Amino acid sequence: MKSLYKLSTLLFLFVSVTSCSDDDSPGDNLTGEGRVIIEFDNSVAGDDLILGSSYTNSQAETLTINRLNYIVSNFRLTDTQGNVFTYPKEYGYFITSEETGNTEVVLMNIPAGRYTAMTFGIGVDQEKYLLGAEGQGDLLTEAESTDMMWSWQAGYKFLNFEGTFTSSTVPENTYFQIHMGSHGSSLDNYKETTLSLGTEALVSDEMTPIIHLVVNAGNILDGDNKISLAEQAVIMVSEEKSPKIAENTANMFSVDHVHNGDGSSH
């Protein structure tokens, strides 16, 4: 009987250990490197942004949006221990475009870890621009093909937001253009934003998190700084309004959710 009891005890311990091992979370052992996928879900007034659709802002201006392109750059990821991984600068500039449907950024070769926050820039920083045309890599060509550059001398457009609008004082559809960028050191509109992910983004050679961001395009003109199109419908280089639009744009991003998986659907 004692032998049977000992055997039963050993079997119970074996099953228990095996069960615990099988129940381990895939995030328990994060090793190697992996990808981070960031999806920019453009929206307006709480709904998905559909080019050609209209909405009314807080200033009773009705906008029909035909274009929303912006540059995101200089990604940094912070883990649970406070360590910061900086994505390599030479690969760290991306143009997202609602026109082309290119609204996803994929960061490669991210060290395994549990990441809780993400920082990135909106636009192109002076350090990158001062590398000259030969130091821009594919970014320069892509910016030219997506209308995200005035000229090399004038620089990049960080934001290209266009469409038509009407208001009580502008009864007929009037074209609007909001192009935000930097114009020398006196008008540097490059901004950064830091977002708490809410849920840990798990990265390893087997785990690929997808970070879903909601981007509120209505914030461009209707954020903390209220910009009236009826007052000025074309804003490109404005010492007064361009910095306000840059601040609004930096605050239009929020984290909707993080999906941790193997990234097989991408």
Side-chain angles (χ1 to χ4, degrees):
M1 291 294 292
K2 289 183 178 180
S3 297
L4 286 174
Y5 176 78
K6 290 180 179 178
L7 180 60
S8 298
T9 301
L10 288 173
L11 285 172
F12 174 78
L13 290 172
F14 175 78
V15 171
S16 297
V17 170
T18 303
S19 298
C20 290
S21 177
D22 290 343
D23 290 341
D24 282 349
S25 165
D28 287 345
N29 299 298
L30 302 175
T31 59
E33 295 181 338
R35 298 181 300 158
V36 171
I37 298 172
I38 307 163
E39 294 187 350
F40 293 83
D41 184 8
N42 296 318
S43 67
V44 64
D47 297 319
D48 286 342
L49 172 59
I50 300 174
L51 295 182
S53 62
S54 300
Y55 82 99
T56 302
N57 63 21
S58 66
Q59 301 184 78
E61 297 172 336
T62 300
L63 284 67
T64 300
I65 301 170
N66 297 325
R67 170 175 286 170
L68 176 63
N69 299 344
Y70 48 89
I71 298 175
V72 289
S73 60
N74 294 318
F75 285 83
R76 301 191 295 278
L77 297 168
T78 303
D79 67 16
T80 54
Q81 304 302 312
N83 301 310
V84 178
F85 171 74
T86 300
Y87 198 67
K89 196 173 185 67
E90 59 268 34
Y91 308 115
Y93 297 79
F94 306 88
I95 296 174
T96 70
S97 172
E98 189 66 27
E99 282 182 294
T100 66
N102 182 24
T103 57
E104 181 179 277
V105 166
V106 181
L107 305 180
M108 306 295 292
N109 303 318
I110 306 300
R114 298 171 173 270
Y115 295 96
T116 59
M118 176 173 64
T119 299
F120 59 91
I122 300 91
V124 179
D125 54 289
Q126 287 289 312
E127 181 182 350
K128 176 70 171 177
Y129 180 72
L130 291 175
L131 292 176
E134 66 281 358
Q136 304 304 302
D138 295 337
L139 178 62
L140 183 57
T141 302
E142 187 180 356
E144 290 172 339
S145 67
T146 54
D147 197 15
M148 293 301 287
M149 174 167 277
W150 286 289
S151 67
W152 173 245
Q153 289 74 22
Y156 292 99
K157 300 174 186 177
F158 301 171
L159 168 74
N160 189 330
F161 183 52
E162 298 180 356
T164 60
F165 80 101
T166 61
S167 71
S168 59
T169 59
V170 184
E172 296 183 3
N173 279 333
T174 297
Y175 195 61
F176 74 83
Q177 287 182 305
I178 307 298
H179 294 176
M180 187 265 293
S182 290
H183 307 279
S185 58
S186 62
L187 195 59
D188 185 1
N189 290 314
Y190 171 80
K191 298 292 182 184
E192 291 192 341
T193 186
T194 297
L195 303 174
S196 172
L197 300 182
T199 300
E200 293 177 359
L202 307 180
V203 179
S204 74
D205 47 12
E206 296 181 348
M207 297 289 291
T208 299
I210 303 173
I211 302 172
H212 294 259
L213 302 185
V214 172
V215 185
N216 180 13
N219 211 70
I220 296 170
L221 300 173
D222 212 13
D224 291 340
N225 301 303
K226 306 299 181 185
I227 307 296
S228 170
L229 292 175
E231 181 180 300
Q232 185 176 350
V234 177
I235 303 173
M236 296 188 184
V237 184
S238 169
E239 292 187 3
E240 176 194 357
K241 294 183 178 180
S242 292
K244 292 180 179 179
I245 291 170
E247 290 177 10
N248 283 352
T249 301
N251 292 321
M252 69 180 182
F253 303 91
S254 62
V255 177
D256 185 68
H257 66 280
V258 176
H259 173 73
N260 286 303
D262 59 10
S264 58
S265 61
H266 285 72

